[in-house]
Amino acid sequence: AQSVTQLDSQVPVFEEAPVELRCNYSSSVSVYLFWYVQYPNQGLQLLLKYLSGSTLVKGINGFEAEFNKSQTSFHLRKPSVHISDTAEYFCAVSSPGDDKIIFGKGTRLHILP
Amino acid sequence: NAGVTQTPKFQVLKTGQSMTLQCAQDMNHNSMYWYRQDPGMGLRLIYYSASEGTTDKGEVPNGYNVSRLNKREFSLRLESAAPSQTSVYFCASSESGTSRETQYFGPGTRLLVL
């Protein structure tokens, strides 16, 4: 069975500093990987996704993630965060042939002034 | 386009009461989903509908029923609410039933069961 682990429940970071949010997955087959963001009191929206091809995926708002098959990871990075990045970030996994995706428990990103 | 809409936004119920959460999408999507979000638990799938006329159980279906009324609408019913069903409920839709598709989420319904 597939699973996804977000290693940090909360990450504090100073404004304009870089950030990495960690995500590891467990799957014995090919995977699709996603990062979704949830701003306060809103629904989720897609940041980026990996389906195949280049392992470096660029998303909206300056975020990017790298698929690392050997380490079964899909960490999310941003070189310089802004106060507007305050949100909860969810990593998710699925596989070809599945009709649903599995979400991680989320990482709250706190931006410190 | 409104995207995915959910009603109501907030609801307070007493234990044993029933209610239906409504969801509609105007993107002509085939697949629709109901999730619940609890602190520290992430999103858990309750039920989904891969296409009009079909529904399937997700990870946490107990205590819930769903109806795919037509291609646009997918409702979630709590027949006899329990405090354990206090949560934030999200509806989502995607173009097809394949898991590679982006899911589009509604703004959520915050439910408190006393």
Side-chain angles (χ1 to χ4, degrees):
Chain A
Q2 292 175 334
S3 65
V4 60
T5 301
Q6 293 184 244
L7 297 161
D8 305 295
S9 59
Q10 298 191 62
V11 173
V13 62
F14 287 106
E15 196 169 12
E16 298 184 12
V19 69
E20 179 180 82
L21 304 183
R22 297 180 294 168
C23 173
N24 287 91
Y25 67 91
S26 171
S27 176
S28 59
V29 296
S30 301
V31 291
Y32 302 136
L33 291 157
F34 308 81
W35 277 100
Y36 282 82
V37 60
Q38 183 181 30
Y39 298 107
N41 299 313
Q42 295 185 25
L44 280 71
Q45 59 183 276
L46 183 73
L47 264 182
L48 49 80
K49 63 181 177 181
Y50 169 81
L51 302 179
S52 65
S54 173
T55 57
L56 183 63
V57 181
K58 293 191 182 297
I60 61 172
N61 300 338
F63 283 92
E64 64 181 33
E66 187 156 19
F67 170 57
N68 188 319
K69 188 173 182 179
S70 63
Q71 298 191 6
T72 61
S73 68
F74 190 56
H75 300 332
L76 181 71
R77 302 186 189 99
K78 186 170 182 178
S80 175
V81 297
H82 302 283
I83 197 74
S84 59
D85 293 322
T86 297
E88 189 159 18
Y89 293 79
F90 292 91
C91 184
V93 65
S94 69
S95 292
D98 286 350
D99 52 10
K100 50 189 181 293
I101 66 176
I102 306 299
F103 285 90
K105 295 185 177 182
T107 298
R108 286 193 181 275
L109 180 60
H110 298 280
I111 309 299
L112 307 172
Chain B
N1 286 353
V4 179
T5 57
Q6 294 183 234
T7 55
K9 291 185 178 174
F10 304 95
Q11 185 71 48
V12 179
L13 292 177
K14 295 180 179 178
T15 297
Q17 288 184 318
S18 63
M19 78 163 295
T20 300
L21 282 65
Q22 306 285 356
C23 173
Q25 51 89 11
D26 62 2
M27 295 174 282
N28 201 36
H29 284 172
N30 290 302
S31 301
M32 298 185 75
Y33 310 83
W34 276 107
Y35 293 92
R36 61 178 288 173
Q37 183 180 27
D38 302 291
M41 300 294 291
L43 270 76
R44 292 181 292 171
L45 183 65
I46 304 171
Y47 271 94
Y48 65 104
S49 172
S51 60
E52 188 178 356
T54 68
T55 60
D56 286 285
K57 294 179 180 179
E59 181 185 354
V60 289
N62 291 345
Y64 305 95
N65 285 300
V66 290
S67 296
R68 184 75 184 267
L69 305 170
N70 48 56
K71 191 172 185 179
R72 290 188 63 246
E73 298 173 288
F74 189 38
S75 63
L76 178 72
R77 183 160 178 84
L78 286 69
E79 291 290 351
S80 178
S84 60
Q85 294 178 304
T86 292
S87 188
V88 182
Y89 292 86
F90 288 99
C91 178
S93 70
S94 65
E95 188 169 347
S96 71
T98 64
S99 63
R100 62 185 289 141
E101 298 286 340
T102 298
Q103 292 191 12
Y104 295 85
F105 285 79
T109 293
R110 285 153 179 78
L111 176 65
L112 173 62
V113 183
L114 301 174

